Amino acid sequence: MYIRRVTRKNKDGSVTAYLQLAHNEWDPKAKYSKAKVIYSFGREDELDRAVLERLAKSISRFLSPEQAFEARDAIGEAAEFLFQSCKRLGGVWMLHRLWNKLGMDRILQKLFASRHHQIDIERLIFAMVANRALAPSSKLAMEDWVREEVYIPGLPQAASHQLYRAMDELLDVQSELEYQVYGAVSDLLNLEVDLLYFDTTSSYFEVDPSEAPEGETLRKQGFSKDKRPDLLQVVIGLAVTREGIPIRCWVWPGNTMDMTVVEQVKKDLIGWKLGRVISVMDRGFSSEENLRTLQRAGGHYIVGEKMRSGKAASKEAMSTRGRYHQVRENLHVKEIIVGDGEARKRYVLVYNPKEAERQREERKKLLEKLQAELDGLKQLSHEVHSKAACRLRSHPSYGKYLRQLKDGTLRLNKQAIRDAEKYDGKYLIRTSDDTLSPEDVALGYKQLVDVEDAFRTLKSTLELRPMYHRLEDRIRAHILLSWLALLLVRIVEVHTGESWRKVRDELQRLALGHFSSKNGDLYQCTEITTKQRQIFAAVGVEPPPRFLEIQPSS
């Protein structure tokens, strides 16, 4: 059905036009469609245009908003559009849809349902998570970010005091939130939790230790993995699945030692009833007490062993003869059993030929430099050492390859060099699970790099550090928000096979324009590129529609 315009030529040569409501009907005899007039509006120059406007408005009730706008334009009612503003959309839209797909919105709304907040806490929490993933900033700077720079569904603006309030509320439901988020994520993504990887890192504060208030319990000086022992810090732990998805995080005082946290981690994960879990941890957690803890409730472990720890069992494992079995091009394994009965310990020695060659080349270059330093000392027998000689002996890299002769002169320690060569390209793993093949043990431990990748993303891309919060609860809430952001980011990376930085940069090119006219306001997306569509498809979320929102004037 359509409105058609027909003309008639008059005797005086003038032309008269008529408007008619018509539709096409098939003529079986003529074998083509013929127009059938349903209603005639009369002469075009005498037409009451209000009749067409009323008809268009009545029809528009049954159209989508964008179709209604197009209908107004068709009858000439649409005025000139003014371009009001442009906001970034792609990154927020991806995180928003993934957030809802995982059920995070429903989980938070349910947890806060009994509190009767006047503000939407769930939207404020999502905004802080999205900010951490897309453009990390302070809560004060987020006010402008939400209002001026990005389009966040359901949140046109946010005040900093509301964001801080949301952080406090989030911490109150942390335990239940972590458990429900894990359940939702594991069900949706069908996560395999038979192997869980755990490691710790530290994150510092731009606060001089002397400025810390009395009674400080969380921010402490300790061993800094950021190489900032001069600053206060906290220790952060992450449990990550074999797919690289972080399912839980912990926060401890900055002076906490790795060996002391395993008890709490195991206890917390047992409470989740994960079933048979093999914990994979680095060398810092391999004390005998920790290993016994990991075996509670039917659990097992795969942990790295320090090859130079001095333990009798480790020495015996390293000295045991036997052939390596090649698993991959640069991965060779050898199973070693030390002891019998209850004292039996199972080790897997892993050898990487490529890594061994790299270490040999590095040591060769280092020894050449060291020999050049020794040649330049001009040492004489029975003379007091010069400052240069003392510097070499105390050097962290050179010192272990030096020995002092009876006359006081320094020489290369050839025995130390031969001992170092024995460890090139090798690392030792210990496991309590006899059902795993040596290949599974080696590959499982090798995937511990996923935790390291998660920490790198947490610190660099999500800019967890440095932190400026002073209150303990705010610090914990900040880390909890960063974990939620990391969870979304890692899911996107796993599904797309690309880094979040690359995905984020591509999606942030997708913008939302705000146009206004006398007929109302229109929010239209820029054209979605092929690459952007591929990203949305890989993650399994729908891209934004062409017209995201239309607000007709009343």
Side-chain angles (χ1 to χ4, degrees):
M1 190 176 297
Y2 57 93
I3 293 178
R4 72 171 188 167
R5 182 175 182 270
V6 295
T7 59
R8 186 189 70 184
K9 189 172 183 180
N10 301 317
K11 291 182 179 180
D12 59 1
S14 62
V15 177
T16 301
Y18 298 86
L19 295 182
Q20 300 171 337
L21 181 64
H23 76 99
N24 291 333
E25 286 189 352
W26 179 258
D27 187 334
K29 293 183 179 180
K31 304 222 186 257
Y32 62 85
S33 295
K34 292 183 179 180
K36 180 179 180 180
V37 177
I38 299 174
Y39 179 79
S40 178
F41 293 100
R43 289 176 53 155
E44 184 179 25
D45 56 344
E46 297 176 353
L47 178 68
D48 182 1
R49 298 189 66 83
V51 174
L52 289 182
E53 291 176 4
R54 288 194 298 272
L55 178 61
K57 288 179 179 179
S58 65
I59 294 174
S60 67
R61 289 181 301 165
F62 303 96
L63 302 176
S64 65
E66 55 267 30
Q67 290 171 328
F69 253 76
E70 292 172 359
R72 289 187 178 194
D73 184 59
I75 63 173
E77 184 181 300
E80 178 183 358
F81 279 99
L82 297 178
F83 180 38
Q84 299 289 356
S85 64
C86 182
K87 293 185 175 183
R88 296 183 184 275
L89 174 67
V92 168
W93 184 265
M94 165 64 77
L95 296 173
H96 165 70
R97 298 291 290 184
L98 182 56
W99 177 269
N100 291 350
K101 182 180 179 180
L102 296 173
M104 302 260 200
D105 56 336
R106 296 188 299 275
I107 291 172
L108 288 170
Q109 288 165 3
K110 185 176 180 180
L111 290 175
F112 295 128
S114 61
R115 305 195 177 201
H116 307 294
H117 293 114
Q118 294 181 346
I119 55 177
D120 192 339
I121 297 292
E122 181 271 331
R123 284 290 82 191
L124 292 171
I125 292 173
F126 169 74
M128 289 186 283
V129 170
N131 174 260
R132 192 56 37 191
L134 297 170
S137 66
S138 68
K139 302 302 176 283
L140 184 60
M142 270 192 66
E143 292 184 355
D144 290 338
W145 185 73
V146 172
R147 185 177 59 252
E148 306 292 344
E149 297 184 31
V150 296
Y151 175 87
I152 298 182
L155 189 70
Q157 58 185 6
S160 57
H161 70 274
Q162 293 176 328
L163 297 171
Y164 284 121
R165 169 78 180 280
M167 291 178 70
D168 296 338
E169 295 286 342
L170 177 66
L171 204 58
D172 288 343
V173 299
Q174 177 180 358
S175 179
E176 185 63 24
L177 172 67
E178 289 175 330
Y179 180 71
Q180 290 199 33
V181 167
Y182 163 73
V185 172
S186 60
D187 289 344
L188 183 65
L189 303 183
N190 194 26
L191 295 182
E192 296 183 30
V193 291
D194 55 337
L195 285 181
L196 282 182
Y197 302 87
F198 177 81
D199 205 351
T200 63
T201 190
S202 57
S203 189
Y204 58 83
F205 298 79
E206 291 293 351
V207 177
D208 188 272
S210 62
E211 300 175 8
E214 293 185 9
E216 182 76 56
T217 59
L218 188 62
R219 297 182 302 174
K220 297 283 187 179
Q221 284 181 285
F223 176 73
S224 175
K225 298 184 180 182
D226 298 316
K227 304 188 187 310
R228 291 303 305 267
D230 56 313
L231 296 177
L232 299 175
Q233 65 176 25
V234 293
V235 173
I236 302 170
L238 273 183
V240 179
T241 68
R242 65 164 70 206
E243 295 87 356
I245 307 299
I247 62 169
R248 186 159 184 169
C249 71
W250 292 263
V251 183
W252 295 287
N255 58 357
T256 303
M257 301 296 292
D258 283 352
M259 290 288 191
T260 64
V261 302
V262 173
E263 177 80 26
Q264 180 184 344
V265 172
K266 181 67 176 178
K267 180 180 178 182
D268 290 344
L269 293 179
I270 286 177
W272 283 12
K273 299 178 182 178
L274 298 178
R276 178 180 179 272
V277 173
I278 304 171
S279 302
V280 186
M281 298 184 177
D282 209 346
R283 293 186 294 266
F285 303 93
S286 59
S287 71
E288 293 301 322
E289 181 180 354
N290 281 344
L291 298 184
R292 285 192 295 271
T293 300
L294 292 174
Q295 286 185 278
R296 293 177 187 170
H300 286 283
Y301 60 78
I302 298 175
V303 298
E305 279 280 354
K306 295 179 180 178
M307 295 185 291
R308 298 178 176 88
S309 64
K311 294 181 181 178
S314 298
K315 285 184 177 180
E316 185 177 347
M318 291 297 299
S319 61
T320 300
R321 296 181 178 275
R323 292 185 177 182
Y324 286 97
H325 171 62
Q326 184 172 349
V327 178
R328 295 181 180 176
E329 181 180 358
N330 288 306
L331 187 65
H332 301 242
V333 298
K334 179 170 62 174
E335 182 177 20
I336 303 165
I337 304 298
V338 176
D340 299 306
E342 293 184 359
R344 177 180 180 274
K345 296 177 182 178
R346 186 185 183 211
Y347 294 91
V348 174
L349 185 60
V350 184
Y351 175 64
N352 184 333
K354 187 176 181 179
E355 179 65 15
E357 181 61 28
R358 186 189 67 80
Q359 291 176 358
R360 280 192 292 269
E361 287 298 319
E362 286 186 352
R363 185 169 53 252
K364 179 180 177 182
K365 293 177 182 178
L366 184 144
L367 292 175
E368 288 174 353
K369 291 180 181 180
L370 177 56
Q371 185 61 59
E373 292 276 0
L374 291 174
D375 294 342
L377 287 180
K378 299 181 180 178
Q379 302 179 86
L380 297 176
S381 300
H382 305 292
E383 281 198 356
V384 178
H385 281 303
S386 64
K387 288 184 179 180
C390 292
R391 177 179 58 82
L392 287 180
R393 289 192 65 187
S394 60
H395 193 280
S397 298
Y398 293 154
K400 57 187 175 183
Y401 296 121
L402 287 174
R403 67 186 182 96
Q404 185 177 6
L405 303 183
K406 292 181 180 180
D407 60 3
T409 58
L410 300 178
R411 293 288 186 272
L412 290 179
N413 189 335
K414 295 183 178 180
Q415 183 59 47
I417 296 172
R418 285 193 294 270
D419 290 341
E421 291 173 349
K422 297 177 182 177
Y423 299 100
D424 286 344
K426 298 176 183 177
Y427 55 92
L428 187 63
I429 307 171
R430 181 177 167 185
T431 181
S432 62
D433 194 329
D434 290 331
T435 66
L436 295 174
S437 68
E439 295 88 341
D440 290 336
V441 174
L443 293 174
Y445 184 77
K446 200 172 187 300
Q447 284 182 294
L448 193 59
V449 72
D450 287 336
V451 188
E452 297 170 0
D453 287 342
F455 280 135
R456 276 192 290 272
T457 301
L458 197 64
K459 291 182 177 182
S460 57
T461 307
L462 306 185
E463 297 184 17
L464 172 72
R465 63 179 186 189
M467 294 187 283
Y468 297 90
H469 294 288
R470 182 179 64 84
L471 298 178
E472 179 175 328
D473 284 352
R474 294 280 170 79
I475 295 169
R476 294 183 182 277
H478 171 74
I479 294 172
L480 186 60
L481 290 168
S482 299
W483 164 66
L484 289 172
L486 178 64
L487 176 64
L488 298 180
V489 164
R490 289 296 294 136
I491 290 174
V492 173
E493 289 180 333
V494 168
H495 281 82
T496 61
E498 298 183 5
S499 71
W500 171 246
R501 285 179 182 270
K502 188 174 181 180
V503 171
R504 181 187 61 189
D505 291 346
E506 178 63 38
L507 291 180
Q508 288 296 74
R509 299 187 183 100
L510 180 59
L512 182 69
H514 174 200
F515 303 87
S516 66
S517 75
K518 68 177 185 180
N519 297 320
D521 293 275
L522 175 71
Y523 295 84
Q524 182 176 352
C525 300
T526 56
E527 290 296 321
I528 301 177
T529 66
T530 301
K531 180 61 176 177
Q532 290 165 353
R533 288 193 182 279
Q534 290 173 346
I535 292 173
F536 283 115
V539 181
V541 302
E542 288 292 326
R546 180 185 176 193
F547 296 100
L548 193 62
E549 189 176 350
I550 293 178
Q551 301 171 347
S553 57
S554 56

